[in-house]
Amino acid sequence: MKKSLFLLLIIVFLSPGCINQTMLPVVDPLPSWNNTAVKEAIIRYVQQISDPHSVLYTDTIDRVAVFDFDGTIMIEKPDYLQKVFKQVVPAFIPDPATYDTLVTAWYNTVKHPRLKRLYKACMYQPMLELLAFFEAHQIRNFICTGSDMDFIRLIARDLPVPPERIIGTVYRNDYDSVMNEIIRTEDIHLACWKTGKPESIYYHIGNKPLIVIGNADGDIPMIRYAGKNPHPSLRMLILHDDMEREYAYSEGAEEAIRMAKAENWIRISMKNDFRIIFPPVPGELVERK
């Protein structure tokens, strides 16, 4: 009986649209989001796990949020970012310092072919706000991506996520005792895609995430992994459905969309839930109400 009552309370607390407006923050923590049921559900959930008097209260040690990168934090069309870089610099770079210099110089100047803005300005403003909102409530943010971990650590310097919280595909490194340096190799040590994502999360973090957000079929295993957390989890899937301001596509996410509906994940519509997608640039269509 007690277990049934607890589960009922969880369903009520996590249901979009069930929020008492008086409980919403006075200062909007997610101003680039439209005031939809999705936004309300996210805010309510964070309030509940942070409130010691709530049945959903979770100790700070267990407050872990994991974000996919390409298509979740950063635009991934027409190609994901590392692939764009490899089109310019196809050769493998074994020296970390040289790799750092090349990636950083490229990233600071390269523009998106359609949006005509720097890729640095193609991170999703609502996701940047979500990272800050979580951090303000003592939720530790991690990025879990199929891309090379070294590459994303360089790109993510603009994000409030320290390098030790960047999880990606790990390549084997060798130590050169003569040069006293690390040498990068092309041999994959741990692939961080599909089932490799929960494996990498366990390897790097050591426990199940409480919050997970992705956008594609490759994110299904880590999103479902969050569902095995002993605490009620927040599982989210971004839908790319705004052709005017970004792109509209579901290829590579068909199973994730089906599973999101079946397992009641929160589905975030770029078209309906994002008031702003990217940081504003004059002349662009940035806002949708």
Side-chain angles (χ1 to χ4, degrees):
M1 182 64 183
K2 288 183 179 179
K3 184 177 181 181
S4 299
L5 179 58
F6 180 69
L7 291 175
L8 178 61
L9 287 171
I10 291 173
I11 293 171
V12 171
F13 281 130
L14 296 187
S15 296
C18 73
I19 297 178
N20 184 334
Q21 294 296 322
T22 60
M23 293 188 65
L24 292 177
V26 176
V27 178
D28 189 350
L30 304 174
S32 294
W33 295 64
N34 285 321
N35 293 323
T36 62
V38 165
K39 174 179 176 177
E40 293 178 349
I42 294 170
I43 292 175
R44 177 59 178 264
Y45 176 84
V46 172
Q47 288 178 329
Q48 291 294 325
I49 66 170
S50 307
D51 181 0
H53 302 292
S54 168
V55 295
L56 298 186
Y57 176 75
T58 305
D59 193 270
T60 54
I61 193 66
D62 295 316
R63 295 182 206 168
V64 171
V66 175
F67 290 70
D68 172 49
F69 186 74
D70 295 290
T72 298
I73 291 178
M74 163 75 77
I75 195 168
E76 67 176 356
K77 295 294 183 180
D79 286 308
Y80 63 93
L81 196 60
Q82 188 175 12
K83 186 175 180 180
V84 177
F85 173 72
K86 285 184 175 180
Q87 292 167 357
V88 179
V89 185
F92 180 79
I93 311 297
D95 177 55
T98 302
Y99 187 64
D100 185 328
T101 300
L102 286 173
V103 172
T104 302
W106 170 82
Y107 184 57
N108 286 333
T109 57
V110 66
K111 289 188 176 183
H112 188 275
R114 176 187 164 192
L115 300 180
K116 307 302 180 185
R117 57 160 63 205
L118 291 173
Y119 264 99
K120 288 170 66 77
C122 289
M123 291 191 185
Y124 304 133
Q125 184 66 24
M127 291 295 105
L128 300 180
E129 293 172 359
L130 202 59
L131 285 165
F133 180 47
F134 288 169
E135 196 70 33
H137 285 78
Q138 296 180 284
I139 299 170
R140 290 179 293 145
N141 294 314
F142 290 79
I143 290 174
C144 185
T145 174
S147 295
D148 179 355
M149 185 168 67
D150 292 342
F151 179 82
I152 300 301
R153 281 180 172 175
L154 296 171
I155 300 306
R157 286 173 176 170
D158 290 337
L159 293 173
V161 182
E164 64 269 20
R165 294 189 192 171
I166 307 296
I167 301 170
T169 294
V170 178
Y171 289 80
R172 183 178 59 82
N173 295 321
D174 290 333
Y175 175 66
D176 186 327
S177 59
V178 176
M179 298 295 293
N180 192 28
E181 291 286 355
I182 292 294
I183 304 299
R184 303 174 68 246
T185 80
E186 296 183 80
D187 298 330
I188 293 179
H189 173 67
L190 181 59
C192 188
W193 53 75
K194 296 185 177 179
T195 57
K197 286 201 168 189
E199 291 170 8
S200 296
I201 289 169
Y202 179 80
Y203 180 81
H204 286 273
I205 304 176
N207 59 356
K208 297 179 178 69
L210 191 66
I211 302 170
V212 175
I213 179 167
N215 79 301
D217 290 348
D219 298 318
I220 291 174
M222 76 170 182
I223 296 175
R224 299 198 76 200
Y225 186 51
K228 298 296 290 185
N229 196 303
H231 303 282
S233 60
L234 185 66
R235 297 178 291 173
M236 296 178 280
L237 185 74
I238 290 183
L239 307 178
H240 295 268
D241 56 2
D242 195 322
M243 189 63 192
E244 290 181 274
R245 299 182 298 167
E246 202 237 11
Y247 289 91
Y249 61 95
S250 59
E251 296 81 7
E254 296 91 345
E255 181 63 16
I257 293 171
R258 185 198 67 78
M259 194 164 291
K261 295 176 180 177
E263 298 189 0
N264 200 32
W265 305 348
I266 288 182
R267 300 185 296 280
I268 301 171
S269 163
M270 283 192 162
K271 184 175 182 179
N272 300 321
D273 295 311
F274 288 176
R275 185 176 67 85
I276 292 173
I277 292 183
F278 305 110
V281 170
E284 283 189 338
L285 172 65
V286 298
E287 188 169 335
R288 185 184 297 277
K289 296 182 179 180

